[in-house]
Amino acid sequence: IKSFDFSFINNLAKNKHKKAYQGIVQYGTAGFRTRATSLDHVLFRMGLLTVLRSQVKKATIGLMITASHNLEIDNGVKVVDPNGEMLETSWEIIATKLANVEDDKVISILQEIIKEQNIDTSLSASVIIGRDTRSSSLNLSQAAVSGIKAMNSKFIDVGVVTTPQLHYFVVSMNKNRDYGIPALEGYYKKISEAYKKIIETTINNGKYSNKVQLDAANGVGALAIKELKKYLNGALNIEIYNSGEGQLNYMCGADYVKQKKISPLNIPINPYVKCVSIDGDADRIVYYYIDKYNQFHLLDGDRIAILVADYLKELLQQSHLNLQLGLVQTAYANGNSTVYISDTLNIPVACVRTGVKYLHHKALEFDIGVYFESNGHGTVVFNESAINTIYMTANNNSLSSIQRKAAQTLSYVIDVVNQTVGDAISDMLLVELILHAKGWDIVTWKKSYSDLPNKQVKIEVQDRNAIITTNEERCCIKPKELQKEIDKIVTKYEKGRSFVRSSGTEDVVRIYVECENDSDIDKMAAEVSLAVYELAGGIGIKPII
Ligand code: G16
């Protein structure tokens, strides 16, 4: 093994970046995520690891410091693979091992990884690192840089960016600019130019209004949206709220709005005004509005997915393109949304476990794969041959103008979309251009189908790993008696469905329930919560039925 100064790395691991936290940290749904104060050694070690990953993949690897929807006190890191995907699962295990060993074992684990993965350590490596606006993020990024430098690797620190922007950087660095120019300017130009082109070519926009009230969760998305507005040049009228003056994700942001089904703090309550909330690192988005009776209406990831898939299907039909379109959801998707997609839209729909990494991979099986979690995390992926076919059709003068125009629009949609991962900003542009094309206001959009009443709650347990699920998380196999109990509860309610799973980003068990009658939903949620509390080692206040 050549080129690394292991005694120098060892010294850093044992002194400057020694473990300050003795508990286990796990690479969860979206990387490591826990209290920011426990993470310095994890970031240092992820700096070391990403250099090795870069040597294995012979490509640039990304490192994003964020705890996304979690509160300010937490932080975390997401590792981004060369194609903009989340870190490969087999390396999550390696990352967890490296993050948890004692300080004096760091070098031996590094050497083990190098041997097992057969890494040529003389190869040059490159890591790109970004961070969100949390007060802990700068120090943590410096810990990661310390690890990267100790491995003599090149790195680029792009500073404060959204998670999807970091993914964009990784892909554009690795794809030799085919995907985009690896600079923030390239990102904004790409999505805004394509957006403006589509808007300009649609004449009749019916009930559509280009005004959006946006809750930026007091996070990095506020900075990005302010920047985007310069490039949009008035093509979308975005009013930004929660732009950094308050606490990050506190009573605001996409997760809060989705879970609580209420408006966030500080957003003006004007009936029928289109509102959106994004989360702390701007990779999730939900829409909502208040009606004249002050009732709250949510349009979440399920509805965004349906809107997008329906629009793409229309464009494929108009352009006579025979490309396979499919949609991917998780168990959280509302039962009525799944029925609507398969029975009304006639689009194949697949279900995978929670985590965009799983949805992304499944979506790649289609020529055009739309994936969204109901929490608003998702995007569209187009495979290479679909992209080529679309471009060829758009430029084929022997075809009808309708055919060509639809293909042309599709080609712009490809550029609006950040295909690397769910991106609240590019998703918002996508939704807006579709609403504009259809001439819809938010109420018309909401009317396309009705959701089943549903609720999500969280329960604290002694050990969240006590819950083990199968069948894309729809069935709990451990603790043994829990699924039987859930089955008993759901049969009492018309169209009842429920599942439980341990969160990979918070120290809780998540519970989802849905049924036909709104009046039953709280009782059903309480019953399942109690079953989890009693059978899975609940702590804190016991749920009351
Ligand atoms: C992350 C993942 C999402 C997942 C969410 C919640 O989002 O990227 O795919 O839905 O966590 O995961 P869990 O239910 O396991 O806590 P984010 O926006 O927090 O990075």
Side-chain angles (χ1 to χ4, degrees):
I1 298 167
K2 41 186 176 171
S3 85
F4 298 140
D5 182 347
F6 285 120
S7 68
F8 178 63
I9 299 169
N10 192 28
N11 190 17
L12 286 174
K14 285 173 150 172
N15 297 297
K16 194 168 175 206
H17 300 293
K18 64 175 184 243
K19 250 179 153 181
Y21 172 70
Q22 291 313 317
I24 301 288
V25 287
Q26 263 174 338
Y27 201 100
T29 315
F32 292 103
R33 205 172 286 189
T34 185
R35 292 286 184 259
T37 46
S38 311
L39 279 168
D40 181 85
H41 73 285
V42 177
L43 267 297
F44 168 69
R45 295 174 190 194
M46 287 310 104
L48 305 173
L49 189 78
T50 42
V51 173
L52 296 181
R53 182 73 183 150
S54 170
Q55 288 175 323
V56 167
K57 301 305 280 185
K58 299 187 177 62
T60 298
I61 298 294
L63 222 158
M64 178 70 196
I65 292 148
T66 181
S68 188
H69 72 272
N70 297 40
L71 293 175
E72 171 78 28
I73 191 169
D74 285 345
N75 215 325
V77 55
K78 299 176 176 181
V79 178
V80 182
D81 261 353
N83 291 326
E85 292 155 356
M86 302 284 197
L87 180 66
E88 189 183 301
T89 321
S90 63
W91 273 67
E92 290 183 0
I93 299 162
I94 297 172
T96 302
K97 192 169 177 186
L98 182 62
N100 287 289
V101 287
E102 291 310 317
D103 298 328
D104 60 0
K105 296 279 181 317
V106 168
I107 298 303
S108 59
I109 296 294
L110 279 183
Q111 289 172 332
E112 193 182 299
I113 300 168
I114 292 166
K115 197 165 164 224
E116 276 172 8
Q117 301 292 324
N118 199 14
I119 300 173
D120 178 352
T121 55
S122 66
L123 290 177
S124 74
S126 143
V127 179
I128 182 155
I129 174 165
R131 62 178 194 274
D132 71 12
T133 50
R134 278 160 216 269
S135 52
S136 56
S137 291
L138 178 59
N139 282 344
L140 290 174
S141 83
Q142 282 163 353
V145 166
S146 172
I148 298 166
K149 277 185 173 168
M151 301 280 276
N152 305 322
S153 167
K154 282 187 291 183
F155 71 94
I156 302 173
D157 183 354
V158 289
V160 176
V161 288
T162 70
T163 295
Q165 285 174 338
L166 197 271
H167 284 250
Y168 169 90
F169 268 109
V170 172
V171 177
S172 49
M173 302 265 300
N174 286 324
K175 283 201 167 172
N176 284 335
R177 299 182 173 230
D178 274 1
Y179 185 72
I181 296 164
L184 283 178
E185 195 187 353
Y187 166 87
Y188 291 118
K189 265 195 180 156
K190 182 181 177 193
I191 62 174
S192 62
E193 295 297 316
Y195 174 77
K196 284 189 281 187
K197 278 186 191 141
I198 301 181
I199 295 289
E200 280 158 15
T201 56
T202 321
I203 306 136
N204 176 11
N205 61 0
K207 288 185 185 172
Y208 176 78
S209 153
N210 78 347
K211 181 180 161 176
V212 181
Q213 292 186 165
L214 183 139
D215 150 34
N218 291 314
V220 59
L223 305 176
I225 297 276
K226 278 181 198 157
E227 204 52 32
L228 175 81
K229 282 179 75 163
K230 297 182 194 160
Y231 291 84
L232 282 174
N233 216 355
L236 188 59
N237 174 11
I238 312 167
E239 288 176 3
I240 312 175
Y241 301 90
N242 295 321
S243 60
E245 59 286 356
Q247 287 180 51
L248 179 70
N249 294 324
Y250 178 69
M251 296 180 80
C252 61
D255 197 62
Y256 175 82
V257 171
K258 162 73 182 159
Q259 304 308 337
K260 305 270 182 209
K261 299 196 181 86
I262 49 176
S263 293
L265 279 186
N266 302 326
I267 209 154
I269 309 284
N270 296 313
Y272 304 111
V273 171
K274 194 166 46 184
C275 299
V276 306
S277 282
I278 63 176
D279 72 338
D281 62 343
D283 58 7
R284 297 197 213 168
I285 182 166
V286 293
Y287 274 73
Y288 49 94
Y289 67 95
I290 305 287
D291 66 21
K292 62 179 175 193
Y293 306 106
N294 215 12
Q295 207 182 332
F296 179 84
H297 299 263
L298 178 73
L299 295 98
D300 61 9
D302 297 345
R303 279 188 193 269
I304 297 175
I306 287 173
L307 184 78
V308 172
D310 184 29
Y311 178 66
L312 293 175
K313 190 179 168 188
E314 248 173 61
L315 290 176
L316 287 175
Q317 280 167 346
Q318 284 168 15
S319 53
H320 298 193
L321 283 174
N322 188 17
L323 296 171
Q324 205 204 359
L325 174 68
L327 207 151
V328 188
Q329 301 183 310
T330 69
Y332 288 112
N334 195 278
N336 276 1
S337 76
T338 314
V339 171
Y340 184 81
I341 296 159
S342 50
D343 295 3
T344 306
L345 297 184
N346 287 316
I347 295 174
V349 51
C351 177
V352 298
R353 52 188 295 208
T354 304
V356 275
K357 56 193 172 195
Y358 302 110
L359 288 101
H360 192 93
H361 282 287
K362 189 72 191 171
L364 291 173
E365 291 176 13
F366 301 101
D367 291 326
I368 304 177
V370 179
Y371 70 83
F372 266 91
E373 296 184 301
S374 61
N375 62 22
H377 206 161
T379 189
V380 187
V381 286
F382 299 81
N383 69 20
E384 280 304 313
S385 89
I387 293 176
N388 290 337
T389 314
I390 289 167
Y391 286 151
M392 269 159 50
T393 309
N395 294 311
N396 185 343
N397 289 331
S398 65
L399 300 175
S400 75
S401 61
I402 294 180
Q403 252 176 292
R404 270 186 290 127
K405 188 180 171 215
Q408 182 73 260
T409 306
L410 273 170
S411 74
Y412 296 145
V413 168
I414 293 170
D415 278 349
V416 170
V417 166
N418 184 349
Q419 292 187 59
T420 62
V421 76
D423 180 337
I425 295 177
S426 100
D427 286 342
M428 175 179 68
L429 294 183
L430 183 59
V431 167
E432 291 301 321
L433 73 87
I434 298 171
L435 295 178
H436 179 269
K438 286 183 178 283
W440 282 3
D441 59 7
I442 193 158
V443 182
T444 319
W445 178 17
K446 176 84 198 293
K447 279 186 186 149
S448 46
Y449 75 93
S450 321
D451 274 326
L452 284 172
N454 61 87
K455 189 165 184 164
Q456 236 195 83
V457 284
K458 15 185 183 181
I459 290 279
E460 280 185 63
V461 294
Q462 266 153 19
D463 174 15
R464 67 183 150 139
N465 293 319
I467 301 261
I468 298 176
T469 60
T470 181
N471 189 14
E472 312 305 347
E473 304 179 318
R474 289 172 289 198
C475 179
C476 176
I477 47 174
K478 226 173 140 199
K480 233 173 141 205
E481 296 305 309
L482 184 54
Q483 190 58 45
K484 272 194 216 149
E485 213 35 56
I486 295 172
D487 291 344
K488 259 196 246 162
I489 297 167
V490 294
T491 49
K492 291 196 279 184
Y493 301 96
E494 212 175 319
K495 292 201 182 162
R497 183 171 73 90
S498 173
F499 68 93
V500 303
R501 55 177 284 278
S502 52
S503 161
T505 60
E506 295 173 56
D507 204 4
V508 294
V509 171
R510 297 201 196 280
I511 295 168
Y512 177 81
V513 294
E514 69 178 29
C515 65
E516 175 81 2
N517 298 315
D518 209 8
S519 52
D520 289 334
I521 208 74
D522 286 341
K523 183 152 185 285
M524 192 180 172
E527 286 184 45
V528 180
S529 301
L530 185 61
V532 170
Y533 187 92
E534 284 180 337
L535 296 169
I539 50 175
I541 301 164
K542 191 169 170 175
I544 306 161
I545 299 178

